[in-house]
Amino acid sequence: METIYEDYSPKGVRFYYLYKALAHPEYNGYVQPFTLEERLMHVKEAQRTLGSKFTWICDAMSNDVKHALGNAPNSEFVIDPNGVIVRMRRWSNPQQLRKDLEELVGPVAKPTQMSDLNMKTAPPPQVALSGIVPRIEVPGRMQPVKIEPKMGKTPFYAKLRVEVEEQVLRTGKGKMYLGFCMDPIYHIHWNNLAAPIRYELKPSKGTTVSPVSGEGPKVKEASDIDPREFLVEIENGKSSKPIELTVRYFACNDEEGWCIPLTQQYTIHFARDPDGGGAFGRSFGADRRDSKSPGATNSER
Amino acid sequence: MIRPISLTAMVMLSIAIISASAEEDREAQDRSPRFMRDSDGFAKSGLKIGASLPDLTAYDADGNPFKLSQLKGSYSAIVLGCLT
């Protein structure tokens, strides 16, 4: 893509990446943002890690643009000077895009090659150890459901992701996954010298959850960034009957020199989140985790 | 283990942008039957060649409103994506 930018930007073609909801949360540790401000932090992170010269624009948290442009993870459009769609495809294809622009704008005498570029890319942030807390096994394919964080002044440094077995949405019965991931855009890690994370669930009348509370493992290393995960049994879960969740944890930022206790709350709805994306190892039923977790290595900043 | 995918998805895989094995695996998952089903929204979106972009508002990297209708005056290439 960057080679096409180099060749056609001087010819007046404008190039945009439209940043949208994550297709694969937790890959490389990134999690769905809760606010526009956080999504814009993702854009800055994308600029840093990818080194692209494209102009970045960002979808609203309602995901209106993603919905209107077909809901595909990596679609591509060419727009003419009148704002009319002249090319569109479900999957971005640089080779085809180059052919499109050759037809529409004209060929380039000497196309730029990747080896001609000196792109500055950077790895995702990793502020503490990872790969030391075992991941839990889920029973089968899980679907993300909608959650509402109860926003306050403090960001949700550990972000909740809730998924359920497909049968829960059909019958109200089955397993619910609760995953708390440290958000890497805040350069935060768990404080394992303090009490581990603890959640408490308060279901609506008529819905049963078990267990109603849980605590994360005690980790001997002082800090890490691994997810804290739990499985809960649901009975009589209904879309009209949300569940309230309260979570307590300690988070630290070594760069800014603080550790704080946090108590945060969510409302969990039994309704599929069409913009929740799919986490490897759970949404696709494949036994695959974040391939960027190197295991028990000393990778602190 | 990667779930078997349909012939149509296999054809699409052949034109995927691949640079490393982790990226290959990620895109293979995206072409699984479930993801293809979800991505059918693209075919059903009503968008077509010759139509104008929807007049929606996004944001620039600084958080300022950016209307898609601003994309006039020259050819523009738009790629949807995200960090993961």
Side-chain angles (χ1 to χ4, degrees), chain A residues 76-89 96-97 100-101 103-105, chain B residues 47-53 74-78:
Chain A
E76 183 174 271
F77 300 83
V78 179
I79 314 299
D80 78 2
N82 296 316
V84 171
I85 300 171
V86 292
R87 300 284 190 279
M88 55 184 277
R89 53 188 67 92
Q96 188 58 53
L97 178 61
D100 294 337
L101 293 177
E103 290 170 14
L104 296 167
V105 180
Chain B
L47 288 174
K48 54 186 179 182
I49 304 291
S52 296
L53 270 186
S74 64
Y75 281 97
S76 299
I78 306 169

Side-chain angles (χ1 to χ4, degrees), chain A residues 1 12-24 27 30 40 44 46 56-58 64 68-70 73-94 105 141 272 280 284 286-288 291, chain B residues 1-3 12 15 17 22-23 25-26 29-32 34-36 38-43 45 47-54 56-63 66 68 70-84:
Chain A
M1 274 298 179
V13 179
R14 294 180 291 185
F15 292 84
Y16 298 91
Y17 275 129
L18 193 143
Y19 195 88
K20 60 170 191 57
L22 295 181
H24 299 295
Y27 191 80
Y30 296 111
L40 289 169
K44 293 220 172 347
W56 290 84
I57 51 180
C58 180
D64 286 344
L69 295 187
N74 188 209
S75 53
E76 183 174 271
F77 300 83
V78 179
I79 314 299
D80 78 2
N82 296 316
V84 171
I85 300 171
V86 292
R87 300 284 190 279
M88 55 184 277
R89 53 188 67 92
R90 178 184 290 175
W91 289 104
S92 173
N93 184 326
V105 180
R141 273 191 177 166
R272 184 170 173 264
F280 289 115
F284 305 109
D287 182 18
R288 188 171 306 279
S291 63
Chain B
M1 184 174 75
I2 297 176
R3 183 175 288 273
M12 292 183 73
I15 61 171
I17 305 157
E23 293 298 318
D25 293 338
R26 181 167 66 85
Q29 294 289 350
D30 287 347
R31 287 162 174 80
S32 71
R34 175 183 172 276
F35 231 91
M36 290 291 290
D38 292 343
S39 293
D40 280 347
F42 191 77
S45 66
L47 288 174
K48 54 186 179 182
I49 304 291
S52 296
L53 270 186
L56 294 171
T57 301
Y59 297 89
D60 66 18
D62 295 321
F66 184 103
L68 296 188
Q70 289 174 229
L71 296 174
K72 289 181 180 174
S74 64
Y75 281 97
S76 299
I78 306 169
V79 181
L80 275 70
C82 47
L83 276 168
T84 64

Side-chain angles (χ1 to χ4, degrees), chain A residues 154-222:
Chain A
T154 307
F156 281 69
Y157 294 121
K159 287 188 165 59
L160 172 66
R161 179 173 174 87
V162 182
E163 298 174 354
V164 297
E165 290 183 286
E166 295 187 26
Q167 67 188 55
V168 172
L169 298 177
R170 284 186 282 110
T171 68
K173 182 177 165 65
K175 287 189 167 32
M176 179 169 73
Y177 165 93
L178 305 174
F180 296 91
C181 291
M182 278 295 177
D183 193 337
I185 61 173
Y186 289 113
H187 300 185
I188 294 289
H189 61 76
W190 301 107
N191 179 0
N192 297 330
L193 300 177
I197 187 171
R198 182 171 180 81
Y199 75 85
E200 289 166 14
L201 292 166
K202 187 178 173 186
S204 298
K205 189 177 176 184
T207 301
T208 305
V209 299
S210 176
V212 293
S213 65
E215 189 174 272
K218 287 186 169 42
V219 180
K220 66 175 184 192
E221 288 82 0

